[in-house]
Amino acid sequence: MIHSYRPNDAQGCLKSRSVVFIGDSITRKLFFQFANLVDSSLPVTIPNDYAKHTDHTLHASSPSIDLSFFWDPFLNSTHMENLMAATHPSKRPALLVIGSGLWYLRHATSSGGLPAWQSKMETVVETIANSKPPLADSVVVLPIEDLVMSKLSPERAATMLASDRDAMNSELYHRIQSFSGFHPLRSSHSVPVFIPKVFNDMLDPSQTEDGLHFADPLIRQ
């Protein structure tokens, strides 16, 4: 079922709560589209290119929801550390969305590449699974995005290889589903963790100009 969500859908689940997105530019696009769906008065994108690699905080007035995006493509910022430590359990978000991976490939020399990403995600998933109190009511871990290789810049095409992305998604699915019997859809753990595998199935090569960032109407779905 594909349901077109409206502000009233958020009323029961998110009213007077917070939503946190943390990750890369793909996560950021989802954040702004999500925020605008909750409150149509909120922007659908960053105000300018100078704000690409910055944090963003928005407030939906009806229903009242605080929405935050933290720019952290390597998931190694202070914000991420605080989220993983659940330093303010009484203020835990209703929804936490985490997206990372492509920057580890694009900047493999400085980031440590695939092995560093694997180590990071092992820590993240383990922390989500074992955190008491829970980090959020629900957690979404985004899959590594399928790219349109023919439209990528030469630098991106040379580093964001399909074989690496496939390996990362396999690792991510396996780790969440098998960690201590932890399954995203049938877990006895108090925090549901979801990997929206359908995300990549919905991507249309005609809806991207740079092979990486897809058009807002598609992301909005």
Side-chain angles (χ1 to χ4, degrees), residues 14 17-21 34 93-97 136-140:
L14 304 177
R17 298 291 303 280
S18 65
V19 173
V20 174
F21 285 63
F34 179 89
L95 173 66
L96 172 60
V97 180
D137 291 357
S138 296
V139 180
V140 173

Side-chain angles (χ1 to χ4, degrees), residues 42 55 70 83 89 103 106 114 121 142 149 157 169 183 195:
L42 296 178
D55 302 336
F70 299 121
L83 285 169
W103 272 57
R106 177 67 184 87
L114 184 55
M121 295 313 299
L142 299 177
M149 301 300 288
N169 273 329
H183 191 284
I195 302 180

Side-chain angles (χ1 to χ4, degrees), residues 41-57:
S41 69
L42 296 178
V44 295
T45 189
I46 54 175
N48 53 63
D49 282 347
Y50 296 106
K52 286 195 302 184
H53 297 168
T54 59
D55 302 336
H56 300 275
T57 300

